[in-house]
Amino acid sequence: MKLWRVISPHTLIIGGIFYFITISSVFGQTLKTETPTTAKEMDSISQYYVLSGKDSIGISSRLNYINKYLKNVFSYKNDSLFYLGLMRKTLLLGKIKEYDSAIYYTNRLYDIAYKNKDTLYIIKSLTKLGIYHKGNSELTDAFQYYNKTFKLSRDINDSIVAGKSLLQMANIQTFLGDYFGSRTTAIEGVKYLENSSDIRNLAGLYHIISVSNRHQKRFKEAKRYNLLAINLAKDSLSYSLIGSRNILIFENTKALISANEGDYNKALSILDTLVSNPIVKNNKTEYSRVLGNLGFVKWLKNNQDENVEETLYSSLKIRESINDIEGLVTINLYLTKYYLNKDRVKALYHAEESYKNAKIWHSLTSIIEALGYIFQLKDDVTEEAKVFNETYLKLNEINQSNREIYAVTKYENENLTNENLKLEAANAKLAIEKAKEERENIIYLLATLVLVLAGGFIFYLLQQRHKRQRIRDVFNAETRISKKLHDELANDVYHVMTQVQNNRNDQEVLDKLEDIYGRTRDISRENSSFKLGKNYTQELSGMLSSYGSDHTKIIIKDIDDINWSAITPEKKIIIHRIIQELMVNMKKHSQASLVAVTFKKNAKNIEISYADNGIGVIKNDIIYSSGLQNAENRIKTIGGSFIFESEEGKGFKAKINFPN
């Protein structure tokens, strides 16, 4: 490095400026330098710089001082002094969120550093460009600049800057909902910081990995990395380096992981401790965050808890008072979920509030989530559907662009290999102990064998009974299809034959034959077989998508959140057929341009919501619809319910519930 880092104490500024001037030739700089002619001039220039750094002065005055400094320094053609001024000016512009101006002057800083081949200030300027483009919501550009910083610092073996850059890249991916990419990038960052003194950023990387694993439902790994982040703060030195606010955030994440696992008591215990913590109470942002999470977890534990509503609104009022945009997005989503099955008007209001703030925050994932609820609750969603599609495509485009910018390493796989070796050693030890135990308990094994044989015999009988039931079900299905073919298609064919015999209009005959063919094809598709095993999700998703077209957009939400492998084959068949019946009705009658099918897992049941923006149907048509009656009869056989609502001209909605 040719230059040292900026000296902060004001008493050293004057000496520092003279130092930069005099050492330029020693380090081989080919800069045109011209020193001030008098000590008074030098003192005046340095004083401008000192005043621009005083926090007690307003930002506009500080900017005025740094502009005077730069004007004087520019006349002396000394790039070393220019570095100092541009670093300070961009910092001040960033503080007041004048990001476009900050980017302009940072590019000037970069140009000077690049001309001088000054690696230190090239890295500084690239990092600043990442910060200011992120502040401007230009996330692809920010990601690109952080990646350039990472590569350059890696090449000069500056592991701390490399790790910090990867942390910022992982933060962007988390914000965009790319949790797989975020986790991989953060794990790569750990490689650069795990043996360094940068405890704060290492803890940040552990936290990002924990959050990403939580969103991917990898709760074991989420807890492991959350514990690593918290353990870094055990000694007083680490605590001061990491900061009390960050440690409280780690604890808050720990509570959310427990809530996601269904351990609501543990989550509430952590949140109760946090909400009474003096540090949390003195920080309105953190207090409202913890309070909101506390209310939401209480609701997850008991949706009849009378205190939940008051807790959530207390969090909302604090966030409104401090204009916490990010917090307002989250708390309004919590209130939307709270009112979803209680008060649709209030639920819609809070969904729209979340959507409004998500647009201000520029969070594409939050915009999509809020619009999903608006779509369920609002009758006319034409404009929202357009925004949903545009946002979804933009989010995918940004994430794909970021993946192309940064090629991740195999660091995670190396760690996984080491973990596998440890696991194999543990398994070998366990096998030896198990063999010894088996030799000592041979008598108990004989008894177990008898029980297994008896259980096997009972299982065989039940299996045979199940096979017989399946045969009857197949027979009934074939009978129904046969009857439909006979009653509808046979009569139509006979009618067409009569027309042909009477030499009627040939085009009309062809049209009717085509109609018969179409109905035959529909019957075949309605009763086609499908896989019930591990590929059931793809089968169901593929069936839904097959009803899409250039005129009809199919939105499938949260289908992967359901653990289909834990659901019996009989239930899968019934759910598949019911949803298929809804899609067939939509295709034939609704004229819908947008269809949403949402899957949600609750504590004791699974809920599937269907909604379209079609022409709807009148009540009597719903009551006498044989297809919907069949759907209702099917769901009752597995202890579920099928509720639908529609008005002519206002679309069609249905809700399916069944025990999981």
Side-chain angles (χ1 to χ4, degrees):
M1 294 297 106
K2 295 194 296 182
L3 303 175
W4 63 14
R5 300 182 185 274
V6 178
I7 304 171
S8 57
H10 294 160
T11 56
L12 298 179
I13 292 296
I14 297 175
I17 293 175
F18 275 118
Y19 176 82
F20 281 118
I21 295 172
T22 55
I23 66 167
S24 59
S25 60
V26 176
F27 285 88
Q29 294 185 20
T30 57
L31 306 176
K32 180 181 178 182
T33 62
E34 188 176 324
T35 60
T37 56
T38 67
K40 186 176 180 180
E41 282 184 51
M42 191 68 245
D43 183 63
S44 176
I45 293 172
S46 63
Q47 189 64 22
Y48 290 144
Y49 185 84
V50 171
L51 290 170
S52 71
K54 285 187 174 294
D55 293 332
S56 58
I57 301 175
I59 294 291
S60 59
S61 297
R62 294 170 67 183
L63 278 168
N64 185 46
Y65 284 126
I66 200 64
N67 286 336
K68 289 180 179 179
Y69 169 85
L70 285 168
K71 182 179 179 180
N72 281 277
V73 166
F74 183 75
S75 64
Y76 295 118
K77 308 294 183 182
N78 188 289
D79 291 345
S80 301
L81 298 178
F82 214 49
Y83 284 148
L84 293 173
L86 288 173
M87 287 290 291
R88 177 64 55 79
K89 181 164 185 173
T90 53
L91 175 67
L92 294 173
L93 290 169
K95 282 181 178 290
I96 57 174
K97 299 184 179 181
E98 292 285 345
Y99 296 122
D100 288 334
S101 296
I103 290 169
Y104 171 78
Y105 286 104
T106 303
N107 278 319
R108 291 188 65 182
L109 175 66
Y110 175 84
D111 291 341
I112 297 170
Y114 186 79
K115 179 189 71 174
N116 296 332
K117 298 181 181 179
D118 192 326
T119 307
L120 174 62
Y121 277 94
I122 290 175
I123 290 175
K124 284 179 179 289
S125 57
L126 288 173
T127 302
K128 278 179 169 285
L129 286 170
I131 294 170
Y132 301 139
H133 278 287
K134 183 181 178 182
N136 234 6
S137 299
E138 297 163 345
L139 299 181
T140 300
D141 291 334
F143 192 90
Q144 187 171 21
Y145 282 116
Y146 281 126
N147 189 54
K148 287 180 178 179
T149 306
F150 160 67
K151 289 181 178 179
L152 186 56
S153 57
R154 178 196 59 191
D155 292 344
I156 64 171
N157 296 319
D158 190 339
S159 61
I160 290 180
V161 174
K164 286 181 179 179
S165 302
L166 290 169
L167 173 60
Q168 294 302 323
M169 293 161 68
N171 272 322
I172 292 173
Q173 290 170 302
T174 301
F175 183 78
L176 292 170
D178 183 9
Y179 299 114
F180 177 81
S182 171
R183 179 168 60 92
T184 308
T185 304
I187 287 173
E188 174 72 3
V190 169
K191 179 173 71 173
Y192 290 91
L193 295 184
E194 61 185 347
N195 295 318
S196 74
S197 59
D198 192 352
I199 302 298
R200 182 185 181 89
N201 286 297
L202 178 59
L205 287 165
Y206 286 149
H207 176 64
I208 288 292
I209 298 168
S210 175
V211 170
S212 297
N213 277 311
R214 181 174 77 83
H215 282 286
Q216 291 181 292
K217 297 179 172 47
R218 297 159 56 103
F219 300 126
K220 184 178 179 181
E221 286 297 287
K223 287 191 291 187
R224 183 165 76 89
Y225 280 99
N226 176 256
L227 184 62
L228 285 171
I230 292 173
N231 283 344
L232 281 179
K234 279 189 174 180
D235 62 83
S236 58
L237 176 61
S238 295
Y239 189 91
S240 63
L241 289 171
I242 293 173
S244 57
R245 181 176 181 272
N246 287 332
I247 294 165
L248 294 170
I249 291 173
F250 303 159
E251 290 287 347
N252 185 70
T253 299
K254 183 179 179 180
L256 295 179
I257 295 168
S258 296
N260 289 147
E261 287 187 304
D263 192 349
Y264 301 126
N265 290 331
K266 183 177 180 180
L268 290 173
S269 175
I270 297 170
L271 292 169
D272 280 330
T273 302
L274 287 174
V275 83
S276 32
N277 186 299
I279 299 174
V280 174
K281 283 187 172 182
N282 291 328
N283 187 316
K284 288 186 177 181
T285 301
E286 291 308 315
Y287 182 69
S288 60
R289 184 208 303 271
V290 174
L291 198 62
N293 288 337
L294 179 64
F296 187 65
V297 175
K298 281 183 177 180
W299 175 73
L300 289 175
K301 181 183 178 183
N302 177 13
N303 58 17
Q304 302 301 319
D305 190 333
E306 296 179 355
N307 297 321
V308 168
E309 187 175 26
E310 181 182 356
T311 305
L312 291 175
Y313 272 111
S314 296
S315 174
L316 176 64
K317 288 178 182 177
I318 296 171
R319 284 169 164 170
E320 286 177 338
S321 70
I322 60 175
N323 196 31
D324 178 8
I325 301 301
E326 178 183 355
L328 287 170
V329 171
T330 302
I331 195 63
N332 277 295
L333 279 175
Y334 282 173
L335 284 162
T336 299
K337 295 172 185 177
Y338 173 77
Y339 285 120
L340 196 59
N341 296 316
K342 295 182 179 181
D343 189 327
R344 292 174 64 85
V345 174
K346 288 184 178 180
L348 178 59
Y349 169 78
H350 288 292
E352 289 178 332
E353 284 295 297
S354 182
Y355 170 56
K356 179 182 72 176
N357 285 288
K359 289 193 294 183
I360 297 172
W361 189 31
H362 299 288
S363 173
L364 302 182
T365 53
S366 298
I367 289 172
I368 291 171
E369 185 175 4
L371 283 175
Y373 285 108
I374 292 172
F375 185 74
Q376 293 181 52
L377 296 162
K378 192 175 180 181
D379 292 330
D380 184 7
V381 291
T382 306
E383 186 62 32
E384 287 84 355
K386 180 181 178 182
V387 175
F388 184 100
N389 291 336
E390 291 173 351
T391 306
Y392 190 81
L393 291 172
K394 183 178 180 181
L395 182 62
N396 285 339
E397 181 182 343
I398 291 175
N399 282 331
Q400 182 59 36
S401 176
N402 287 348
R403 292 189 193 102
E404 292 171 357
I405 289 171
Y406 175 62
V408 299
T409 69
K410 296 182 179 179
Y411 180 71
E412 184 178 14
N413 290 335
E414 293 170 0
N415 279 357
L416 183 61
T417 301
N418 293 334
E419 291 294 329
N420 287 338
L421 291 174
K422 294 177 183 178
L423 183 61
E424 288 173 6
N427 287 339
K429 183 179 179 181
L430 183 63
I432 294 171
E433 293 174 354
K434 186 176 180 181
K436 182 179 179 180
E437 183 181 353
E438 288 175 349
R439 287 193 299 270
E440 295 174 347
N441 295 284
I442 188 66
I443 297 175
Y444 295 106
L445 286 176
L446 290 173
T448 303
L449 181 61
V450 173
L451 291 174
V452 169
L453 290 173
F457 180 72
I458 294 171
F459 176 77
Y460 174 77
L461 292 177
L462 293 174
Q463 189 179 48
Q464 292 303 309
R465 180 181 176 184
H466 178 65
K467 285 183 178 179
R468 290 194 296 271
Q469 182 62 42
R470 287 188 64 185
I471 291 171
R472 286 196 294 270
D473 291 342
V474 171
F475 175 79
N476 291 336
E478 290 175 345
T479 301
R480 179 175 61 81
I481 296 170
S482 176
K483 186 174 184 303
K484 190 169 185 179
L485 288 168
H486 180 272
D487 291 347
E488 296 182 16
L489 298 185
N491 290 337
D492 289 341
V493 171
Y494 181 81
H495 186 212
V496 174
M497 290 171 62
T498 303
Q499 286 181 312
V500 172
Q501 289 175 346
N502 294 332
N503 294 317
R504 295 179 65 179
N505 188 296
D506 289 343
Q507 185 58 46
E508 183 180 356
V509 172
L510 291 173
D511 290 343
K512 290 190 175 183
L513 284 171
E514 184 177 357
D515 176 63
I516 294 169
Y517 167 74
R519 279 187 282 162
T520 305
R521 181 188 58 195
D522 289 343
I523 293 171
S524 173
R525 183 167 70 174
E526 289 174 33
N527 294 277
S528 62
S529 62
F530 51 87
K531 296 177 183 179
L532 298 171
K534 62 181 181 179
N535 294 322
Y536 179 77
T537 305
Q538 289 83 351
E539 286 279 349
L540 185 56
S541 180
M543 181 272 288
L544 287 166
S545 300
S546 69
Y547 287 91
S549 67
D550 293 339
H551 306 292
T552 305
K553 173 75 173 178
I554 308 295
I555 298 172
I556 306 168
K557 186 178 178 185
D558 299 334
I559 190 171
D560 291 321
D561 288 353
I562 308 301
N563 183 13
W564 294 106
S565 61
I567 298 173
T568 62
E570 293 78 20
K571 291 182 180 179
K572 292 179 185 176
I573 293 171
I574 288 169
I575 295 306
H576 190 101
R577 292 302 187 204
I578 291 174
I579 297 176
Q580 190 176 49
E581 181 66 38
L582 290 171
M583 300 305 289
V584 169
N585 280 345
M586 177 276 298
K587 197 72 173 179
K588 289 181 178 179
H589 309 299
S590 76
Q591 301 177 25
S593 63
L594 191 61
V595 178
V597 183
T598 304
F599 297 79
K600 181 180 178 182
K601 183 181 183 301
N602 297 319
K604 294 183 179 180
N605 64 354
I606 290 173
E607 180 180 297
I608 303 171
S609 299
Y610 168 94
D612 67 46
N613 64 348
I615 60 175
V617 292
I618 60 177
K619 188 174 182 180
N620 287 339
D621 288 344
I622 296 177
I623 293 172
Y624 295 108
S625 169
S626 60
L628 295 180
Q629 285 180 345
N630 287 337
E632 190 171 11
N633 292 333
R634 285 178 188 269
I635 200 67
K636 285 180 180 178
T637 63
I638 58 172
S641 64
F642 180 75
I643 303 171
F644 43 81
E645 59 177 284
S646 179
E647 290 184 34
E648 195 168 9
K650 292 187 177 181
F652 181 83
K653 295 181 181 180
K655 186 171 289 186
I656 303 164
N657 273 285
F658 65 95
N660 58 20

